[in-house]
Amino acid sequence: MLSSRIFIWQRFTRLTPDEVQDVIPLYHPTRAHTDPDDTAYADQHAAHGNFRNWARLTAHTHTALERTGRTHVDQDVLRWAFSRLGSGN
């Protein structure tokens, strides 16, 4: 039934490390001033170039920033966010 409702199937591939560095800082204000090394760290340990993973991770890092009063994402914030992602990553 689903395939009868899909006009065009789209294949999405993982973002490359260079694409992550280009796209993720533009994705959400919490990512705009994140150190590129921390962005790479997050991609290696949790997001793996998958935009859906980046969305989940960004939601958790946003919560962490609100709760701690921090102004930018760093590896401490990322580790807290990783702990909220569960074992699926």
Side-chain angles (χ1 to χ4, degrees):
M1 288 181 107
L2 178 61
S3 68
S4 70
R5 290 174 172 80
I6 303 296
F7 179 66
I8 297 174
W9 287 93
Q10 297 294 323
R11 178 168 168 77
F12 292 92
T13 59
R14 295 182 185 271
L15 298 169
T16 66
D18 288 338
E19 290 171 330
V20 166
Q21 293 296 337
D22 290 341
V23 172
I24 296 306
L26 301 174
Y27 169 60
H28 192 273
T30 60
R31 298 285 177 201
H33 302 291
T34 302
D35 184 291
D37 290 339
D38 291 336
T39 299
Y41 175 81
D43 194 50
Q44 277 185 316
H45 290 87
H48 312 292
N50 181 297
F51 207 84
R52 183 175 296 187
N53 291 346
W54 272 108
R56 289 177 55 226
L57 182 59
T58 298
H60 289 300
T61 55
H62 182 71
T63 298
L65 293 173
E66 285 181 336
R67 289 183 181 178
T68 63
R70 293 181 181 212
T71 59
H72 67 282
V73 177
D74 59 21
Q75 289 192 19
D76 288 335
V77 169
L78 290 170
R79 282 190 289 275
W80 182 90
F82 295 166
S83 74
R84 301 303 188 263
L85 293 174
S87 62
N89 284 318

